[in-house]
């Protein structure tokens, strides 16, 4: 009798009926191969993917469906990628951008944490550290579509993280929209 009463009480007063159950739709997604394995970074409801403008820099954050950063209870899990596409002369039609225009960071939390980074000053180490992609659609305006194909990156493990093998990304595509 009491258990039925408490079950009904909990159902009526303790459930969150006002929580919208709309599916999560990412604003930007990355698909490609990381060290030979197929990876899709589509984000999740708690850590949504984002593509925004910071003055004249396009800032892109994409993460895995299971991503939970180190600030959450327990061990961090999942993977994320952050790209900063720096200003470049886009009045001249371009079909490619690379290390000189992009700051790249990829971190994977699978059993151990491995982080990789390529910054524009790394353009001298072309074979060890690079990021490059083809421009299908790109503009520095909110609400515009972004499509970067042929995404490739290579970077050694950053000091302070575990791992020995470099991060090699190829056959990648990044698509979505720049936020307003």
């Amino acid at each position: 009798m009491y258990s039925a009463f408490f079950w009904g009480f909990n159902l009526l007063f303790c459930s969150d009926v006002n929580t919208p159950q709309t599916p999560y739709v990412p604003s930007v997604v990355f698909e490609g191969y990381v060290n030979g394995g197929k990876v899709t970074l589509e984000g999740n409801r708690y850590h949504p993917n984002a593509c925004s403008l910071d003055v004249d820099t396009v800032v892109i954050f994409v993460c895995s469906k299971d991503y939970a950063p180190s600030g959450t209870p327990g061990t961090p899990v999942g993977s994320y990628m952050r790209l900063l596409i720096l200003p470049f002369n886009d009045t001249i039609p371009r079909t490619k951008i690379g290390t000189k225009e992009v700051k790249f960071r990829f971190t994977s939390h699978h059993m151990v944490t491995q982080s990789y980074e390529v910054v524009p000053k790394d353009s001298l180490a072309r074979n060890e550290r690079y990021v490059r992609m083809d421009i299908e659609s790109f503009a520095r305006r909110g609400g515009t579509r972004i499509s970067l194909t042929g995404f490739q990156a290579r970077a050694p493990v950053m000091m302070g993280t575990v791992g020995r093998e470099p991060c090699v990304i190829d056959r990648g595509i990044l698509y979505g929209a720049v936020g307003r």
Side-chain angles (χ1 to χ4, degrees), residues 8-15:
F9 180 82
N10 282 336
L11 182 63
L12 189 61
F13 295 106
C14 297
S15 63

Side-chain angles (χ1 to χ4, degrees), residues 62-124:
V62 290
C63 64
S64 58
K65 206 180 245 187
D66 64 342
Y67 176 69
S70 54
T72 58
T75 308
V77 296
S79 302
Y80 77 87
M81 181 188 308
R82 183 178 319 248
L83 297 169
L84 281 80
I85 302 177
L86 306 170
F88 58 87
N89 185 356
D90 51 3
T91 58
I92 302 168
R94 293 181 72 147
T95 59
K96 297 182 181 297
I97 55 174
T99 306
K100 291 182 181 179
E101 300 89 9
V102 179
K103 182 176 180 184
F104 162 85
R105 182 177 183 122
F106 181 81
T107 298
S108 175
H109 302 287
H110 294 286
M111 299 180 61
V112 296
T113 297
Q114 297 176 332
S115 291
Y116 311 89
E117 187 173 66
V118 177
V119 296
K121 68 181 178 184
D122 290 335
S123 62
L124 297 177

Side-chain angles (χ1 to χ4, degrees), residues 29-34 37-40 81 132-136 147-153 168-175:
V29 173
F30 172 82
E31 296 175 4
Y33 289 83
V34 177
K38 177 87 165 122
V39 171
T40 300
M81 181 188 308
R132 52 185 163 233
M133 60 205 83
D134 300 324
I135 299 173
E136 296 289 321
S147 178
L148 303 170
T149 60
F151 190 104
Q152 297 178 327
V168 178
I169 298 176
D170 62 356
R171 294 178 278 166
I173 179 170
L174 190 110
Y175 57 91

